[in-house]
Amino acid sequence: MIKKTSRRRFLQLTAGGIVGLTLGNQRIIRPASAAELPHLEEDTPQASALKYVNNSTNKNQQCKNCLLIRDNGNKSDWQPCVIFPGKTINVNGWCSAYAPKPT
């Protein structure tokens, strides 16, 4: 027999689940800060495939001007990038996935 659940009960269970996840184990939900992530090395396979360099010679095309960098407000020279998850890239670097931020 199928038990009919009310909208109110559904919302209570959903809210309870969210609170439980938030309070239960915050380590799972909290993303790592840029300071905790390792720097991307130029000789890794993904970096090599995208021709990543830590210091770009072209000042107009650097990671700090790229749409893909995730600027977390921290003024470090190493920031997360969506192309290299789990690593930080040098803001003065460059790779072939460079996409200029809209002006």
PDB file of all heavy atoms in Angstrom, residues 47-67:
ATOM      1  N   ALA A  47      48.174  20.186 -17.288  1.00  0.00           N
ATOM      2  CA  ALA A  47      48.809  21.485 -17.499  1.00  0.00           C
ATOM      3  C   ALA A  47      49.586  21.493 -18.818  1.00  0.00           C
ATOM      4  O   ALA A  47      49.515  22.461 -19.581  1.00  0.00           O
ATOM      5  CB  ALA A  47      49.730  21.819 -16.333  1.00  0.00           C
ATOM      6  N   SER A  48      50.299  20.426 -19.095  1.00  0.00           N
ATOM      7  CA  SER A  48      51.056  20.326 -20.348  1.00  0.00           C
ATOM      8  C   SER A  48      50.124  20.336 -21.553  1.00  0.00           C
ATOM      9  O   SER A  48      50.402  21.000 -22.557  1.00  0.00           O
ATOM     10  CB  SER A  48      51.888  19.049 -20.368  1.00  0.00           C
ATOM     11  OG  SER A  48      52.869  19.094 -19.363  1.00  0.00           O
ATOM     12  N   ALA A  49      49.005  19.609 -21.440  1.00  0.00           N
ATOM     13  CA  ALA A  49      48.055  19.549 -22.559  1.00  0.00           C
ATOM     14  C   ALA A  49      47.461  20.919 -22.867  1.00  0.00           C
ATOM     15  O   ALA A  49      47.196  21.237 -24.029  1.00  0.00           O
ATOM     16  CB  ALA A  49      46.943  18.561 -22.241  1.00  0.00           C
ATOM     17  N   LEU A  50      47.289  21.750 -21.841  1.00  0.00           N
ATOM     18  CA  LEU A  50      46.730  23.089 -22.042  1.00  0.00           C
ATOM     19  C   LEU A  50      47.812  24.171 -22.114  1.00  0.00           C
ATOM     20  O   LEU A  50      47.518  25.357 -22.068  1.00  0.00           O
ATOM     21  CB  LEU A  50      45.732  23.414 -20.922  1.00  0.00           C
ATOM     22  CG  LEU A  50      44.453  22.582 -20.964  1.00  0.00           C
ATOM     23  CD1 LEU A  50      43.608  22.831 -19.735  1.00  0.00           C
ATOM     24  CD2 LEU A  50      43.653  22.889 -22.217  1.00  0.00           C
ATOM     25  N   LYS A  51      49.069  23.730 -22.214  1.00  0.00           N
ATOM     26  CA  LYS A  51      50.219  24.636 -22.347  1.00  0.00           C
ATOM     27  C   LYS A  51      50.291  25.667 -21.218  1.00  0.00           C
ATOM     28  O   LYS A  51      50.651  26.819 -21.420  1.00  0.00           O
ATOM     29  CB  LYS A  51      50.188  25.337 -23.712  1.00  0.00           C
ATOM     30  CG  LYS A  51      50.259  24.390 -24.879  1.00  0.00           C
ATOM     31  CD  LYS A  51      50.157  25.135 -26.192  1.00  0.00           C
ATOM     32  CE  LYS A  51      50.289  24.245 -27.375  1.00  0.00           C
ATOM     33  NZ  LYS A  51      49.293  23.227 -27.548  1.00  0.00           N
ATOM     34  N   TYR A  52      49.929  25.238 -19.995  1.00  0.00           N
ATOM     35  CA  TYR A  52      49.946  26.127 -18.829  1.00  0.00           C
ATOM     36  C   TYR A  52      51.367  26.534 -18.471  1.00  0.00           C
ATOM     37  O   TYR A  52      52.281  25.708 -18.471  1.00  0.00           O
ATOM     38  CB  TYR A  52      49.290  25.453 -17.628  1.00  0.00           C
ATOM     39  CG  TYR A  52      49.462  26.227 -16.344  1.00  0.00           C
ATOM     40  CD1 TYR A  52      48.666  27.329 -16.068  1.00  0.00           C
ATOM     41  CD2 TYR A  52      50.440  25.871 -15.422  1.00  0.00           C
ATOM     42  CE1 TYR A  52      48.839  28.054 -14.908  1.00  0.00           C
ATOM     43  CE2 TYR A  52      50.616  26.591 -14.258  1.00  0.00           C
ATOM     44  CZ  TYR A  52      49.815  27.678 -14.000  1.00  0.00           C
ATOM     45  OH  TYR A  52      49.994  28.400 -12.843  1.00  0.00           O
ATOM     46  N   VAL A  53      51.555  27.821 -18.166  1.00  0.00           N
ATOM     47  CA  VAL A  53      52.818  28.345 -17.652  1.00  0.00           C
ATOM     48  C   VAL A  53      52.501  29.205 -16.430  1.00  0.00           C
ATOM     49  O   VAL A  53      51.452  29.846 -16.358  1.00  0.00           O
ATOM     50  CB  VAL A  53      53.596  29.167 -18.701  1.00  0.00           C
ATOM     51  CG1 VAL A  53      54.101  28.295 -19.827  1.00  0.00           C
ATOM     52  CG2 VAL A  53      52.761  30.309 -19.249  1.00  0.00           C
ATOM     53  N   ASN A  54      53.417  29.222 -15.465  1.00  0.00           N
ATOM     54  CA  ASN A  54      53.214  30.011 -14.245  1.00  0.00           C
ATOM     55  C   ASN A  54      53.372  31.505 -14.471  1.00  0.00           C
ATOM     56  O   ASN A  54      52.799  32.302 -13.727  1.00  0.00           O
ATOM     57  CB  ASN A  54      54.184  29.564 -13.149  1.00  0.00           C
ATOM     58  CG  ASN A  54      53.760  28.266 -12.511  1.00  0.00           C
ATOM     59  OD1 ASN A  54      52.583  27.984 -12.361  1.00  0.00           O
ATOM     60  ND2 ASN A  54      54.738  27.458 -12.133  1.00  0.00           N
ATOM     61  N   ASN A  55      54.161  31.890 -15.453  1.00  0.00           N
ATOM     62  CA  ASN A  55      54.387  33.313 -15.729  1.00  0.00           C
ATOM     63  C   ASN A  55      54.234  33.570 -17.215  1.00  0.00           C
ATOM     64  O   ASN A  55      55.069  33.156 -18.013  1.00  0.00           O
ATOM     65  CB  ASN A  55      55.781  33.740 -15.256  1.00  0.00           C
ATOM     66  CG  ASN A  55      55.869  33.774 -13.754  1.00  0.00           C
ATOM     67  OD1 ASN A  55      55.114  34.486 -13.102  1.00  0.00           O
ATOM     68  ND2 ASN A  55      56.772  32.984 -13.195  1.00  0.00           N
ATOM     69  N   SER A  56      53.179  34.285 -17.557  1.00  0.00           N
ATOM     70  CA  SER A  56      52.916  34.604 -18.957  1.00  0.00           C
ATOM     71  C   SER A  56      53.757  35.795 -19.389  1.00  0.00           C
ATOM     72  O   SER A  56      53.919  36.749 -18.640  1.00  0.00           O
ATOM     73  CB  SER A  56      51.429  34.938 -19.131  1.00  0.00           C
ATOM     74  OG  SER A  56      51.185  35.424 -20.424  1.00  0.00           O
ATOM     75  N   THR A  57      54.272  35.739 -20.595  1.00  0.00           N
ATOM     76  CA  THR A  57      55.023  36.873 -21.128  1.00  0.00           C
ATOM     77  C   THR A  57      54.080  37.938 -21.686  1.00  0.00           C
ATOM     78  O   THR A  57      54.455  39.086 -21.827  1.00  0.00           O
ATOM     79  CB  THR A  57      55.985  36.405 -22.240  1.00  0.00           C
ATOM     80  OG1 THR A  57      55.235  35.713 -23.234  1.00  0.00           O
ATOM     81  CG2 THR A  57      57.057  35.488 -21.668  1.00  0.00           C
ATOM     82  N   ASN A  58      52.852  37.551 -21.987  1.00  0.00           N
ATOM     83  CA  ASN A  58      51.853  38.490 -22.501  1.00  0.00           C
ATOM     84  C   ASN A  58      51.031  39.025 -21.330  1.00  0.00           C
ATOM     85  O   ASN A  58      50.188  38.340 -20.782  1.00  0.00           O
ATOM     86  CB  ASN A  58      50.940  37.785 -23.512  1.00  0.00           C
ATOM     87  CG  ASN A  58      49.933  38.723 -24.143  1.00  0.00           C
ATOM     88  OD1 ASN A  58      49.710  39.836 -23.678  1.00  0.00           O
ATOM     89  ND2 ASN A  58      49.309  38.261 -25.210  1.00  0.00           N
ATOM     90  N   LYS A  59      51.285  40.261 -20.933  1.00  0.00           N
ATOM     91  CA  LYS A  59      50.617  40.847 -19.765  1.00  0.00           C
ATOM     92  C   LYS A  59      49.120  41.035 -19.975  1.00  0.00           C
ATOM     93  O   LYS A  59      48.366  41.167 -19.018  1.00  0.00           O
ATOM     94  CB  LYS A  59      51.263  42.197 -19.385  1.00  0.00           C
ATOM     95  CG  LYS A  59      52.732  42.099 -19.058  1.00  0.00           C
ATOM     96  CD  LYS A  59      52.958  41.192 -17.866  1.00  0.00           C
ATOM     97  CE  LYS A  59      54.434  41.079 -17.541  1.00  0.00           C
ATOM     98  NZ  LYS A  59      54.748  40.026 -16.642  1.00  0.00           N
ATOM     99  N   ASN A  60      48.653  41.045 -21.224  1.00  0.00           N
ATOM    100  CA  ASN A  60      47.219  41.207 -21.490  1.00  0.00           C
ATOM    101  C   ASN A  60      46.458  39.896 -21.340  1.00  0.00           C
ATOM    102  O   ASN A  60      45.237  39.901 -21.220  1.00  0.00           O
ATOM    103  CB  ASN A  60      46.995  41.761 -22.896  1.00  0.00           C
ATOM    104  CG  ASN A  60      47.528  43.171 -23.029  1.00  0.00           C
ATOM    105  OD1 ASN A  60      47.446  43.953 -22.092  1.00  0.00           O
ATOM    106  ND2 ASN A  60      48.093  43.482 -24.179  1.00  0.00           N
ATOM    107  N   GLN A  61      47.169  38.770 -21.399  1.00  0.00           N
ATOM    108  CA  GLN A  61      46.526  37.463 -21.264  1.00  0.00           C
ATOM    109  C   GLN A  61      47.151  36.714 -20.094  1.00  0.00           C
ATOM    110  O   GLN A  61      48.066  35.923 -20.273  1.00  0.00           O
ATOM    111  CB  GLN A  61      46.666  36.660 -22.553  1.00  0.00           C
ATOM    112  CG  GLN A  61      45.826  37.173 -23.686  1.00  0.00           C
ATOM    113  CD  GLN A  61      45.796  36.200 -24.852  1.00  0.00           C
ATOM    114  OE1 GLN A  61      46.334  35.109 -24.798  1.00  0.00           O
ATOM    115  NE2 GLN A  61      45.164  36.618 -25.926  1.00  0.00           N
ATOM    116  N   GLN A  62      46.673  37.007 -18.912  1.00  0.00           N
ATOM    117  CA  GLN A  62      47.120  36.315 -17.708  1.00  0.00           C
ATOM    118  C   GLN A  62      45.898  35.777 -16.973  1.00  0.00           C
ATOM    119  O   GLN A  62      44.787  36.274 -17.142  1.00  0.00           O
ATOM    120  CB  GLN A  62      47.893  37.258 -16.795  1.00  0.00           C
ATOM    121  CG  GLN A  62      49.231  37.663 -17.363  1.00  0.00           C
ATOM    122  CD  GLN A  62      50.006  38.557 -16.414  1.00  0.00           C
ATOM    123  OE1 GLN A  62      49.436  39.374 -15.721  1.00  0.00           O
ATOM    124  NE2 GLN A  62      51.314  38.395 -16.412  1.00  0.00           N
ATOM    125  N   CYS A  63      46.124  34.796 -16.147  1.00  0.00           N
ATOM    126  CA  CYS A  63      45.024  34.150 -15.425  1.00  0.00           C
ATOM    127  C   CYS A  63      44.192  35.150 -14.619  1.00  0.00           C
ATOM    128  O   CYS A  63      42.981  34.980 -14.502  1.00  0.00           O
ATOM    129  CB  CYS A  63      45.567  33.057 -14.514  1.00  0.00           C
ATOM    130  SG  CYS A  63      46.312  31.684 -15.421  1.00  0.00           S
ATOM    131  N   LYS A  64      44.815  36.184 -14.083  1.00  0.00           N
ATOM    132  CA  LYS A  64      44.054  37.153 -13.288  1.00  0.00           C
ATOM    133  C   LYS A  64      43.015  37.899 -14.130  1.00  0.00           C
ATOM    134  O   LYS A  64      42.070  38.451 -13.587  1.00  0.00           O
ATOM    135  CB  LYS A  64      44.994  38.132 -12.588  1.00  0.00           C
ATOM    136  CG  LYS A  64      45.825  38.988 -13.511  1.00  0.00           C
ATOM    137  CD  LYS A  64      46.779  39.836 -12.707  1.00  0.00           C
ATOM    138  CE  LYS A  64      47.886  40.376 -13.563  1.00  0.00           C
ATOM    139  NZ  LYS A  64      49.027  40.810 -12.776  1.00  0.00           N
ATOM    140  N   ASN A  65      43.163  37.901 -15.449  1.00  0.00           N
ATOM    141  CA  ASN A  65      42.202  38.538 -16.347  1.00  0.00           C
ATOM    142  C   ASN A  65      41.278  37.526 -17.012  1.00  0.00           C
ATOM    143  O   ASN A  65      40.540  37.875 -17.926  1.00  0.00           O
ATOM    144  CB  ASN A  65      42.945  39.305 -17.451  1.00  0.00           C
ATOM    145  CG  ASN A  65      43.900  40.322 -16.892  1.00  0.00           C
ATOM    146  OD1 ASN A  65      43.610  40.975 -15.907  1.00  0.00           O
ATOM    147  ND2 ASN A  65      45.068  40.438 -17.502  1.00  0.00           N
ATOM    148  N   CYS A  66      41.330  36.271 -16.568  1.00  0.00           N
ATOM    149  CA  CYS A  66      40.573  35.191 -17.203  1.00  0.00           C
ATOM    150  C   CYS A  66      39.231  34.980 -16.507  1.00  0.00           C
ATOM    151  O   CYS A  66      39.121  35.088 -15.284  1.00  0.00           O
ATOM    152  CB  CYS A  66      41.393  33.906 -17.162  1.00  0.00           C
ATOM    153  SG  CYS A  66      40.594  32.509 -17.973  1.00  0.00           S
ATOM    154  N   LEU A  67      38.252  34.651 -17.284  1.00  0.00           N
ATOM    155  CA  LEU A  67      36.910  34.385 -16.793  1.00  0.00           C
ATOM    156  C   LEU A  67      36.858  33.113 -15.944  1.00  0.00           C
ATOM    157  O   LEU A  67      35.976  32.955 -15.103  1.00  0.00           O
ATOM    158  CB  LEU A  67      35.969  34.254 -17.996  1.00  0.00           C
ATOM    159  CG  LEU A  67      34.495  34.095 -17.757  1.00  0.00           C
ATOM    160  CD1 LEU A  67      33.944  35.337 -17.066  1.00  0.00           C
ATOM    161  CD2 LEU A  67      33.780  33.883 -19.074  1.00  0.00           C
TER     162      LEU A  67
END
